[in-house]
């Protein structure tokens, strides 16, 4: 079994675990954690594709590797924004939950549109 | 089976075990700790996949800064844990999701294992065109020359994420300093490390940037190390986060994309095309862009971790 | 007529540098505004808008003259190694409408997001204008990029700029809505990314035109197509993945809701169109196209019924966005050519695009009008709208014009879209979609009639406005609504692939015929399902409502069931489960195409 195969299976498993965690765990912070796991699994698939594309003296195809670097930065920005939102939500309400409350029956919220 | 593949299987098994721990652990703090370990071991996996640049990025940004971010959040949200766990969906639903996630994972695994042979790859094209920029690191070539648009867009993504984080500040603290004031025992270990490590770290960070022209490294990795040193100083109370309304801070934050755009637009009017480089002068221009980028990345990442303004500007 | 996926041009065309400007100008605006800060932010944003509009018009003009797509090779590197920018007819149309809507929103939002006198810089104005410019630049990139990974980064930029708009006023429920939006959108984009890597692994390129030549049905491509489609559906909030949209669009400030409903959701929709029509037209097959439109039809029914039962105007408009988005997906099976087993760029595609741009202008106008009514009355309860037609006539007119344009009255774009879609349904003998299309028109008329009936009813006490509503804001909303009414007259046949049917009969008569049955049907629906509150007391609407008593009770039961189902689907685990089920279903549906 080559490195690409072993880590390919590892990557798919990480994606599956991340999906499960993102959907089932009710805490938003655990969802963000699962999203990071999911993202890392996807990037690992990129890595496997890059490794298989080794040629011309390179250890791997440089294009997917560059895409992964871009992707890791984007995923980190997403995590930072999500965590900041979550902390602000906790500050404002005292609880961190995504459960949709029943919509307010009256429309007279005294705030601007 | 060779020793190498046996070690790889062990590595893969440990990585997967940590991934399961991250999802299954009851306590969020423990789960995040497991995730940090997962990130660092994943860097080893990347090295085995012959992607050293990515290994550096994964360890620095995903495992390092991402871990710090999540750990800090887990600590602040500790009191909400028990309430949230009451909302867990029922066993049947979790079983269904588990089965379907496994099905999707299996589909991805099958797709990856049965990719065509011979493998279509752009490595020969990248090697053939490396002479245009005379850089030795093919990944830097792709990031800064062939797919420079993606890198430019990604800088803007970073800036927008920061604007988004800042917009969460309460109105009265707008323009103030992000995050809470940190205090650490001046005689303690943290303060000691915060005095010892930054000079070394800064040299490391700039070296990683400088060497990325021909060896694994890059502006992102170097910038992350610099950001980490700044954060260390902030967490030990040796430095304070600057108020977000300072002009020099804003200028530093746009320096990277602005230099990138200037060179790109110069390419549009003076040379071949937008984001093209003149033959023979590509390397110094790319290094100039990367230098501006590393400053912006360091400041942006540090501020993303510091969070939204929570204090007024006066110390 | 410009072929919407033209021959591969490996060299840049003249006018290609306009494409670069279309991307760069909003981004430069973001950077300058960020550095300048303070009052300059709004000034820079308002200065960038006419510039961007001029560039979009210039691109359309150049394409109209050369009758060929525009291509630009970034960095002078040709695909597959480099990234190309390509503008075809679809791109030109979408960019023009985006520029128009953004300019209107700029005029509208000027009063809401002004730095108050006496302070150097304020949070909401700073954030709003920068986010608006960033959304614009990212949208232009989505419409122009010819590479799937560049599309991913641009789509992420759109999301990161849109999420803070939702919680810009800082209320707790908007923070929760923003977090839910962000997390679900991230789930969608990660699935899209999985598809991207599988396509690269199979074909060695991510360039759209090169992929279209190399794509064939194998395991990796099928998995990629299914996952990418479902990920993009999650970002477009198609039923049953719509959990995040109603609270997010209703909770944002009025200008934010307008951008979100009109433009942001169209970005992921546009990428679905690119995927299905350009990258892999032969892959999805009949079943998958029917499934996609089935989701759309369900969205129309669900979204409209829940919209009719809303008590707040902004929530009604948000749920109507759900229904209209579903309507957009009806074009996929109608574009399917059974003979060649491919999706063809013809009348159905044109109809779908026309509906997209009509919805963009009309929905932005409706949200703007709703925002003005909220600001004027201090609330947006539908049952409390009595007398507002006299107090804010221009706003109500804007709302009515936008709604009528969406119902489909010539010469609006939606009318033409409906004609083209019905024509395609007839040609492909898919009469069931023709019925759904007509039903969509009736549902749209339903909530329009409901709101207008309340707005024109006499008020119990005289209406006093809480704030003075400047006429420029009402004019912006009205102008956009009138645009959507006359969109059918624009020279779109130069850009979109279909021939205009010869006009027959006087316009007024056609308008009356087109509007009559939907409005009658809509009135019936409004009477049965809508909330009438105290109106029961006054004739003649009250008379109608009272006589329909038993029917209303039955309709109320149906409405309650659907609302409860909607509530269940909008819980996170249920939505996540639906996402996975859909991914498997799409994968299975695309299998027989092998």
């Amino acid at each position: 079994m080559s490195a690409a195969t072993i880590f390919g299976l590892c990557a798919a498993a990480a994606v599956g675990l991340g999906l499960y965690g993102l959907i089932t765990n009710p805490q938003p912070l655990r969802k963000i954690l699962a999203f990071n796991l999911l993202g890392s699994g996807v990037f690992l698939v990129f890595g496997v594709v890059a490794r298989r594309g080794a040629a011309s003296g390179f250890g791997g195809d440089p294009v997917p590797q560059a895409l992964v670097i871009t992707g890791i930065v984007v995923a980190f920005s997403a995590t930072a924004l999500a965590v900041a939102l979550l902390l602000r939500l906790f500050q404002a309400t005292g609880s961190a939950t995504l459960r949709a409350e029943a919509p307010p029956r009256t429309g007279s919220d005294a705030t601007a549109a | 089976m060779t020793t190498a593949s046996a070690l790889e299987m062990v590595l893969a098994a440990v990585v997967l075990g940590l991934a399961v721990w991250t999802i299954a652990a009851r306590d969020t703090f423990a789960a995040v700790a497991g995730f940090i370990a997962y990130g660092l071991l994943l860097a080893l996996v990347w090295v085995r996949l012959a992607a050293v640049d990515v290994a550096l990025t994964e360890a620095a940004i995903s495992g390092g800064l991402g871990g710090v971010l999540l750990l800090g959040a887990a600590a602040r949200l500790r009191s909400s844990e028990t309430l949230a766990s009451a909302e867990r969906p029922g066993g049947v639903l979790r079983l269904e999701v588990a089965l379907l996630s496994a099905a999707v994972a299996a589909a991805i695994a099958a797709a990856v294992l049965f990719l065509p042979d011979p493998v279509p790859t752009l490595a020969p094209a990248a090697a053939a065109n490396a002479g245009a920029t005379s850089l030795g690191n093919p990944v830097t070539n792709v990031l800064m020359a062939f797919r420079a648009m993606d890198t430019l867009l990604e800088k803007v993504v970073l800036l927008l994420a920061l604007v988004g984080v800042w917009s969460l500040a309460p109105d009265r603290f707008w323009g103030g300093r992000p995050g809470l004031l940190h205090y650490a025992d001046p005689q303690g270990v943290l303060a000691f490390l915060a005095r010892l490590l930054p000079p070394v770290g800064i040299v490391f960070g700039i070296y990683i940037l400088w060497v990325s022209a021909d060896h694994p490294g890059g502006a992102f990795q170097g910038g992350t190390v610099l950001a980490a040193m700044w954060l260390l100083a902030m967490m030990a109370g040796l430095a304070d986060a600057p108020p977000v309304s300072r002009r020099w801070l804003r200028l530093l934050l746009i320096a990277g994309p602005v230099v990138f755009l200037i060179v790109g637009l110069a390419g549009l009017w003076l040379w071949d095309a937008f984001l093209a480089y003149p033959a023979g002068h590509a390397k110094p221009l790319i290094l100039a862009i990367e230098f501006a980028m590393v400053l912006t990345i360091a400041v942006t990442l540090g501020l993303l971790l510091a969070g939204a303004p929570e204090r007024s500007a006066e110390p | 007529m410009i072929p919407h996926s033209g021959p591969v041009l490996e060299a840049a065309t003249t006018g290609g540098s306009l494409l670069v400007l279309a991307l760069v100008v909003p981004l430069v605006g973001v950077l300058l505004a960020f550095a300048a800060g303070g009052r300059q932010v709004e000034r820079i944003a308002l200065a960038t808008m006419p510039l961007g509009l001029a560039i979009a018009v210039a691109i359309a003009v150049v394409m109209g003259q050369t009758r060929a797509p525009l291509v630009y090779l970034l960095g002078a590197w040709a695909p597959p190694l480099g990234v190309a920018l390509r503008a075809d007819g679809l791109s030109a149309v979408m960019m023009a409408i985006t520029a128009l809507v953004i300019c209107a929103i700029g005029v509208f939002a000027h009063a809401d997001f002004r730095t108050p006198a006496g302070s150097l810089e304020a949070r909401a104005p700073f954030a709003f204008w920068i986010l608006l410019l960033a959304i614009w630049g990212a949208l232009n990139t989505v419409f122009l990029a010819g590479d799937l990974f560049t599309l991913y980064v641009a789509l992420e930029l759109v999301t990161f700029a849109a999420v803070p708009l939702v919680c810009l006023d800082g209320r707790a429920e908007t923070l929760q809505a923003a977090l839910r939006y962000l997390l679900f959108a991230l789930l969608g984009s990660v699935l899209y990314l999985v598809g991207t890597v599988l396509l690269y692994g199979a074909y060695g390129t991510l360039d759209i035109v090169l992929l279209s030549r190399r794509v064939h049905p194998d395991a990796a491509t099928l998995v990629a197509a299914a996952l990418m489609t479902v990920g993009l559906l999650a970002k477009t909030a198609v039923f049953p993945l719509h959990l995040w949209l109603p609270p997010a669009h209703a909770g944002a400030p009025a200008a934010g809701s307008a951008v979100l409903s009109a433009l942001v959701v169209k970005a992921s929709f546009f990428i679905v169109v690119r995927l299905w029509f350009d990258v892999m037209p032969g892959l999805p097959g009949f079943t998958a196209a029917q499934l996609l439109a089935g989701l759309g039809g369900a969205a129309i029914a669900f979204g409209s019924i829940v919209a009719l039962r809303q008590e707040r105007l902004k929530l009604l408009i948000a749920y109507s966005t759900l229904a209209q988005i579903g309507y957009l997906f009806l074009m996929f099976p109608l574009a399917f050519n059974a003979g060649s087993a491919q999706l063809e760029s013809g009348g159905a595609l044109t109809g779908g695009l026309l509906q997209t741009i009509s919805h963009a202008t009309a929905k932005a106008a409706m949200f703007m009008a709703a925002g003005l009514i909220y600001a004027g009355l201090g609330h947006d309860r539908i049952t409390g709208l009595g007398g507002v037609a006299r107090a804010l006539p221009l706003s109500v007119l804007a709302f009515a014009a936008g709604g009528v344009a969406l119902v489909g009255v010539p010469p609006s774009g939606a009318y033409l879209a409906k004609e083209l879609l019905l024509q395609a349904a007839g040609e492909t003998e898919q009469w069931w979609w023709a019925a759904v299309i007509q039903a969509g028109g009736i549902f749209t008329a339903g909530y329009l009639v409901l709101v207008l009936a309340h707005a024109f009813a006499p008020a119990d006490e005289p209406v006093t406005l809480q704030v003075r509503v400047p006429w420029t804001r009402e004019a912006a909303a009205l102008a956009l609504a009138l645009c959507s009414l006359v969109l059918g007259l624009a020279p779109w046949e130069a850009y979109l692939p279909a021939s205009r049917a010869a006009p027959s009969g006087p316009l007024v008569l056609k308008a009356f015929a087109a509007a009559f049955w939907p409005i009658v049907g809509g009135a019936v629906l409004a009477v049965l399902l809508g909330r009438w509150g105290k109106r029961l007391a006054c004739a003649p609407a009250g008379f109608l409502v009272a006589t329909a008593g038993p029917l209303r009770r039955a309709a109320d039961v149906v409405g309650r069931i659907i609302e409860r189902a909607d509530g269940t689907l909008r819980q996170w685990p249920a939505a996540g489960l639906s996402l996975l089920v859909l991914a498997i279903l799409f994968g299975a549906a695309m299998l027989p195409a092998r």
Side-chain angles (χ1 to χ4, degrees), chain B residues 89 93 96-97 100-101 103-104 107-108 111-112 114-116 119-122 125-126 129 132 145-147 149-150 153-154 156-157 159-164 166-171 174 245 247 250-251 253-254 257-258 261 265 268-269 272-276, chain C residues 17 20 23-24 27-28 30-31 34-37 72-77 80-83 121-124 126-127 130-131 134 141 147 149-150 153-154 157 160-161 164 167-168 175 194 198 200-204 219-220 223 227 573-574 577 580-581 583-584:
Chain B
L93 190 61
E96 291 171 352
V97 175
L100 289 174
S101 309
V104 171
I108 296 176
V112 168
F114 294 119
L115 284 177
V119 179
T121 172
L122 285 174
N129 286 301
F146 306 143
R147 301 190 68 112
M149 185 76 210
D150 293 344
L153 276 178
E154 170 196 15
V156 183
V157 166
L159 185 65
L160 257 300
L162 191 60
V163 171
W166 282 359
S167 77
L168 296 170
D171 273 321
W174 178 253
S245 51
R247 182 60 59 96
R250 303 268 178 101
L251 288 174
L253 285 167
I254 65 164
V258 161
L261 265 178
L265 288 171
L268 179 65
W269 287 311
D272 291 328
F274 182 62
L275 295 176
Chain C
S17 38
V20 172
L23 302 189
V24 165
L27 296 183
V28 167
V30 166
L31 296 174
F34 185 84
Y72 192 85
L73 301 177
L74 289 169
W77 296 106
L81 195 59
V83 172
E121 191 177 64
R123 178 192 63 95
F126 177 83
I130 291 185
L131 293 172
T141 315
D147 180 278
F149 189 79
T150 313
V153 183
L157 185 56
F160 292 177
C167 55
L168 202 52
L175 287 169
V194 174
L198 289 177
Y200 183 86
Y203 304 112
V223 174
L227 289 176
L577 188 62
L580 293 177
V581 167
I584 310 266

Side-chain angles (χ1 to χ4, degrees), chain B residues 88-256:
Chain B
R88 284 186 87 203
V92 173
L93 190 61
R94 279 187 285 135
L95 184 64
E96 291 171 352
V97 175
L99 285 174
L100 289 174
S101 309
V104 171
I108 296 176
V112 168
L113 288 179
F114 294 119
L115 284 177
D117 232 336
V119 179
T121 172
L122 285 174
N129 286 301
T133 52
S134 60
L135 291 174
N137 183 353
V139 176
T140 309
N141 253 335
V142 175
L143 277 177
M144 301 298 298
F146 306 143
R147 301 190 68 112
M149 185 76 210
D150 293 344
T151 312
L152 178 62
L153 276 178
E154 170 196 15
K155 304 250 78 52
V156 183
V157 166
L158 268 178
L159 185 65
L160 257 300
L162 191 60
V163 171
V165 168
W166 282 359
S167 77
L168 296 170
D171 273 321
R172 63 186 185 281
F173 290 137
W174 178 253
R177 295 174 188 271
L180 304 168
L181 186 60
H182 292 267
Y183 173 78
D185 179 6
Q187 311 295 326
V189 176
L190 185 58
F192 174 69
L193 280 177
R195 287 194 174 87
L196 184 65
L197 285 180
V200 182
I202 292 176
V203 171
F204 260 34
I206 298 186
Y207 174 75
I208 293 179
L209 164 71
W210 183 252
V211 87
S212 71
D214 297 310
H215 301 284
F220 291 110
Q221 298 89 331
T224 312
V225 174
L226 295 177
M229 294 299 109
W230 188 30
L231 282 168
L232 186 56
M234 278 202 272
M235 283 183 199
L238 297 178
D240 197 4
V244 301
S245 51
R246 290 280 179 269
R247 182 60 59 96
W248 60 262
L249 185 67
R250 303 268 178 101
L251 288 174
L252 264 184
L253 285 167
I254 65 164

Side-chain angles (χ1 to χ4, degrees), chain A residues 91-106:
Chain A
Q91 228 176 28
T93 61
S95 75
T97 172
L98 283 185
R99 154 136 0 141
E101 304 299 339
R105 289 269 98 181
T106 63

Side-chain angles (χ1 to χ4, degrees), chain C residues 44-399:
Chain C
I44 293 175
L46 290 175
T48 315
M49 285 178 193
L51 199 54
L53 183 61
I55 294 175
V57 168
I59 292 178
V61 164
V62 169
M63 284 182 67
Q65 284 174 346
T66 60
R67 298 266 162 170
L70 293 178
V71 178
Y72 192 85
L73 301 177
L74 289 169
W77 296 106
L81 195 59
V83 172
L85 295 177
R86 294 196 184 88
D88 58 7
L90 299 181
S91 317
V93 165
M94 295 297 297
M95 279 175 51
I97 288 294
T98 304
L100 186 65
V101 172
I102 298 251
C103 288
I105 292 178
V107 171
F108 176 80
H110 169 67
D112 271 339
F113 293 103
R114 233 186 344 225
T115 314
S119 68
L120 278 172
E121 191 177 64
R123 178 192 63 95
F126 177 83
F128 175 79
W129 295 108
I130 291 185
L131 293 172
L132 188 66
L133 283 178
I135 290 179
W136 192 7
L139 281 174
N140 280 350
T141 315
V142 167
F143 299 140
L144 291 178
D147 180 278
L148 289 181
F149 189 79
T150 313
L151 282 175
Y152 165 76
V153 183
L155 199 57
E156 291 294 81
L157 185 56
V158 173
T159 304
F160 292 177
V163 164
L165 274 183
V166 171
C167 55
L168 202 52
D169 57 7
R171 280 179 297 145
E173 59 264 18
T174 58
L175 287 169
Q176 199 188 55
L179 186 57
R180 202 179 301 129
Y181 176 15
L182 181 60
L183 289 178
F184 208 71
L186 288 176
L187 177 55
S189 45
V190 163
L191 289 179
Y192 175 84
L193 199 57
V194 174
T196 312
V197 64
L198 289 177
L199 284 178
Y200 183 86
Y203 304 112
T205 176
L206 287 175
D207 183 72
I208 290 181
V209 170
L210 288 177
L211 269 178
S212 67
R213 287 165 167 177
R214 302 182 190 182
V215 151
H216 56 270
D218 65 0
T221 319
L222 284 174
V223 174
L227 289 176
M228 286 171 96
T229 305
V230 170
L232 291 168
L233 289 182
K235 295 196 80 133
T236 320
V238 177
F239 177 90
L241 307 174
H242 59 283
L243 80 165
W244 58 266
L245 192 141
H249 285 206
S257 309
V259 172
L260 288 169
S261 258
L263 298 175
V264 170
V265 291
K266 306 301 182 347
S268 36
F269 169 72
F270 189 81
I271 301 184
V272 178
V273 171
R274 277 266 183 256
L275 257 184
W276 279 50
F277 279 89
D278 286 348
V279 175
M280 41 180 83
L283 194 76
F286 181 76
T287 323
Q290 299 291 323
L291 176 61
L292 194 56
L295 295 177
I300 294 178
F302 243 70
S304 304
I305 294 180
V306 182
L308 280 168
R309 294 181 58 81
Q310 289 307 310
E311 293 189 346
R312 287 186 52 211
L313 185 57
K314 285 192 79 173
L315 271 173
L316 178 145
I317 305 180
Y319 272 102
S320 79
T321 299
L322 278 184
Q324 295 290 328
I325 289 173
Y327 197 99
L328 296 179
F329 283 92
L330 294 178
M331 72 173 181
F332 285 92
L334 299 177
F336 186 74
N337 182 325
S340 62
Q342 289 218 343
L343 283 169
E344 292 201 335
S345 321
L349 178 63
T350 308
L353 253 294
L354 279 175
Q355 181 68 25
T356 309
I357 61 179
S358 307
H359 178 256
T361 42
K363 193 46 67 77
M366 287 166 85
F367 261 122
M368 286 198 235
L372 290 172
I373 293 175
Y374 197 135
L377 292 181
H379 71 85
D380 66 343
R381 278 193 321 275
I382 296 179
T383 48
L385 283 179
V388 78
R390 207 156 296 138
L392 290 170
L394 286 182
S395 306
V396 174
L397 183 60
F399 188 93

